[in-house]
Amino acid sequence: MTARPPIFQFDNSYARDLPGFYVAWEGAKVPTPQLVVFNRELAKELGLDSNLLETSEGAEIFAGVRQPDGASPLAQVYAGHQFGGFSPQLGDGRALLLGEIIDSTGNRKDIQLKGSGPTPFSRGGDGKAVVGPVLREYILGEAMHALGIPTTRALAAVTTGETIYRDGPKPGAVLTRVAASHLRVGTFQYFAARGETEKVRQLADYAIARHDPDLAGQPDRYIRLFRGVVERQAALVANWVLVGFVHGVMNTDNTTISGETIDYGPCAFIDAYDPAAVFSSIDHGGRYAFGRQPVIMQWNLARLAETLLPLIQPDDLDKAVELASAELGRFPDIYRAAWLNGMRAKLGLVEETAEDQDLFETMLSILQEQSVDYTLFFRHLSEAAVGAPQKLRELFVDPTQIDGWLERWMQRLESEGRAPADTRTAMNLVNPLYIPRNHKVEEALQSAETGEYFLLNELLDILKAPYEERTGFESYALPAPEAFGPYQTFCGT
Ligand SMILES: Nc1ncnc2c1ncn2[C@@H]1O[C@H](COP(=O)(O)OP(=O)(O)OP(=O)(O)O)[C@@H](O)[C@H]1O
């Protein structure tokens, strides 16, 4: 009999290159691991054999109770600014890096369990997660990916058979998350705050090898690493804003070096356009409101810059500050350029003109004034491009307010000379019809809490193809009915 090849071909660079940046750890025992959702498409991209993972053995691996061959799981340490205040010691308090694998396109990926039990970084927490938030992260992360926005992915969700007490008894669950890495601004902050410059250097070199390999060995590699993170994060936040996403907890421990969205705790998509939109129950001051995300990201990147100063110009702090400030100062322009580009595409425009910003802002102020659904506006606007503005006008309490703007926009389209039907097609390729609507997410989660997964699977299926209209699924495109009321989300549950 030939031995079965291991399910995961681990190649663990973090453990190898960064001793002292983690503790080796194992998942807690749980009674009855059961696979709830498994992402076959992602498994394929990762070069994993679904037949081996959609089994009771797979469920045990994903629950953290069975170590796959070759695994040496670990909990990473990090720090972070949370709502502006510095916590010098956070770390994976309920997560385990199972290991890294090289995917089918040659990229290194972390496989991490979230909710697999307490670790030395749990700070009094139980180290667990419950089924609602685990599936929320699964749904939102996969929706983000389908929207073409860099994000951690979800490979699997299992229930554990445990009852976990949150705001009542809840089924325990574990998420298997896949990421380009779990390096966070907070990882740098942990070592910088302790004055461990050599460890910051080790970490920066590791980050370069993993995310900016072209910079390896270059004398100016640290400032260029910072530049890369600024560029990735500016593009990411522009993407969030263009699609109407509110991250909700943009702490520096939730700001990645890779430029991927991470931690779908209290996030949500807006329905009515509103820069002040906040969903998180704990964000009383609106620090992480929809419209503040670019400013907050720049603030988070300033915290990263601080950790890198001794590397950027070791013998001249003033010079290092000058160089880092120049890079950080480019953030607003990079962000604005990405946002303007994205908005042009959403409006079916190709040419860049001096009036773009004004055209877009005028539109947004009308949407805000009339609480118009952000997602449906762009989708129905594509119909207006072919001379059918009726559905669009129905989104407005007073449609006459948008008429003047529509005329202006139509003139722009005409001046560009593209056939209207082509404009509509182009617009529908970048403006989603289906986003994870808050009421649909809640419906799916509530039924999953009772062990019923039909709505979850239907929602996941719809969100896989967000631009493709499907008959019979009209309700997935609609904003929440009035009775749903104001929406609130919760952190770290
Ligand atoms: N139930 C828990 N038990 C132990 N630690 C926890 C628990 N919930 C959150 N933490 C820890 O608190 C810190 C901040 O929590 P946050 O909700 O931002 O992270 P998370 O959602 O657990 O993880 P991630 O940022 O990796 O997605 C993290 O260090 C996290 O590990």
Side-chain angles (χ1 to χ4, degrees):
M1 206 174 91
T2 48
R4 190 188 74 185
I7 298 179
F8 297 92
Q9 300 277 354
F10 289 118
D11 176 16
N12 296 333
S13 66
Y14 197 88
R16 186 176 60 227
D17 299 347
L18 297 175
F21 289 65
Y22 62 87
V23 290
W25 205 252
E26 284 178 20
K29 296 289 171 234
V30 293
T32 48
Q34 230 169 356
L35 201 54
V36 170
V37 238
F38 179 73
N39 193 336
R40 275 189 210 161
E41 284 98 337
L42 178 58
K44 190 156 182 238
E45 284 173 38
L46 294 172
L48 299 173
D49 185 344
S50 292
N51 293 326
L52 298 179
L53 285 166
E54 284 182 286
T55 57
S56 56
E57 182 184 347
E60 286 173 9
I61 291 171
F62 293 135
V65 298
R66 175 198 281 257
Q67 281 196 26
D69 288 345
S72 34
L74 58 89
Q76 295 174 319
V77 69
Y78 53 85
H81 274 89
Q82 301 187 306
F83 287 91
F86 187 61
S87 298
Q89 160 104 49
L90 296 167
D92 291 333
R94 54 167 171 171
L96 279 184
L97 177 63
L98 207 55
E100 298 154 37
I101 59 172
I102 309 296
D103 74 9
S104 52
T105 54
N107 291 312
R108 179 176 294 278
K109 293 284 158 69
D110 277 7
I111 311 285
Q112 196 205 52
L113 306 180
K114 181 168 168 182
S116 51
T119 75
F121 308 124
S122 297
R123 299 173 302 144
D126 61 6
K128 308 279 179 165
V130 297
V131 74
V134 160
L135 294 177
R136 212 179 134 69
E137 176 151 353
Y138 194 118
I139 298 166
L140 274 286
E142 287 306 296
M144 250 357 206
H145 171 73
L147 289 164
I149 300 177
T151 177
T152 62
R153 306 277 314 266
L155 178 63
V158 292
T159 49
T160 60
E162 274 189 325
T163 301
I164 307 290
Y165 289 85
R166 291 291 186 256
D167 51 333
K170 304 279 180 192
V174 180
L175 177 76
T176 301
R177 177 161 75 183
V178 178
S181 83
H182 283 85
L183 297 175
R184 309 158 190 254
V185 169
T187 323
F188 285 81
Q189 288 181 290
Y190 177 82
F191 297 100
R194 295 156 62 100
E196 299 189 271
T197 305
E198 275 319 301
K199 286 202 161 169
V200 179
R201 185 188 307 281
Q202 253 180 293
L203 188 60
D205 283 330
Y206 178 83
I208 286 168
R210 198 147 172 183
H211 298 300
D212 295 282
D214 294 349
L215 305 182
Q218 303 286 330
D220 58 352
R221 61 189 178 278
Y222 301 117
I223 189 71
R224 290 172 66 192
L225 168 67
F226 181 59
R227 184 182 303 158
V229 183
V230 167
E231 287 170 357
R232 291 193 279 272
Q233 287 292 351
L236 179 67
V237 177
N239 272 321
W240 289 354
V241 172
L242 285 162
V243 82
F245 176 75
V246 190
H247 181 282
V249 62
M250 288 176 67
N251 295 331
T252 57
D253 55 298
N254 289 333
T255 304
T256 57
I257 301 304
S258 66
E260 286 183 340
T261 311
I262 195 171
D263 197 352
Y264 292 87
C267 62
F269 282 70
I270 54 169
D271 31 35
Y273 178 76
D274 179 11
V278 171
F279 297 100
S280 167
S281 60
I282 59 167
D283 190 1
H284 305 297
R287 180 181 170 89
Y288 299 140
F290 177 58
R292 279 180 49 80
Q293 297 184 111
V295 171
I296 289 291
M297 184 53 78
Q298 195 179 0
W299 190 90
N300 289 353
L301 292 168
R303 308 287 78 76
L304 175 62
E306 285 161 4
T307 72
L308 296 174
L309 291 176
L311 312 185
I312 289 171
Q313 201 75 39
D315 41 12
D316 187 347
L317 183 63
D318 289 345
K319 182 72 187 164
V321 170
E322 191 189 308
L323 290 171
S325 302
E327 296 302 336
L328 190 63
R330 291 175 57 235
F331 181 95
D333 284 345
I334 302 172
Y335 169 79
R336 194 172 310 109
W339 183 81
L340 285 169
N341 264 334
M343 196 50 91
R344 267 188 290 276
K346 284 173 86 65
L347 294 179
L349 301 170
V350 178
E351 287 157 25
E352 196 176 326
T353 78
E355 69 139 13
D356 289 355
Q357 180 117 8
D358 181 66
L359 182 72
F360 304 161
E361 279 170 5
T362 305
M363 167 195 79
L364 291 174
S365 68
I366 302 170
L367 297 191
Q368 185 179 353
E369 207 178 308
Q370 296 211 35
S371 298
V372 171
D373 187 82
Y374 181 74
T375 304
L376 285 182
F377 173 79
F378 293 101
R379 200 67 192 193
H380 293 344
L381 189 65
S382 73
E383 296 301 317
V386 292
Q390 197 44 40
K391 267 164 93 183
L392 180 83
R393 294 183 88 249
E394 281 167 13
L395 295 173
F396 291 80
V397 182
D398 173 11
T400 58
Q401 248 198 314
I402 196 70
D403 287 342
W405 182 88
L406 273 178
E407 221 167 277
R408 199 175 152 196
W409 171 68
M410 290 294 278
Q411 273 168 15
R412 267 294 295 282
L413 287 180
E414 271 162 36
S415 76
E416 293 194 357
R418 187 153 62 167
D422 293 346
T423 297
R424 176 176 60 183
T425 305
M427 288 174 74
N428 285 345
L429 287 174
V430 293
N431 292 307
L433 178 60
Y434 306 113
I435 54 163
R437 294 277 180 185
N438 301 323
H439 62 297
K440 286 293 182 186
V441 172
E442 287 308 314
E443 235 173 59
L445 298 186
Q446 274 170 24
S447 89
E449 276 189 13
T450 68
E452 186 45 70
Y453 303 112
F454 175 80
L455 290 176
L456 170 73
N457 287 316
E458 188 169 87
L459 180 60
L460 286 171
D461 191 46
I462 291 281
L463 294 173
K464 262 184 216 168
Y467 306 104
E468 232 172 75
E469 186 162 3
R470 285 169 64 174
T471 41
F473 297 95
E474 289 71 18
S475 71
Y476 283 92
L478 297 176
E482 201 124 316
F484 185 67
Y487 190 51
Q488 249 200 351
T489 55
F490 301 89
C491 265
T493 45

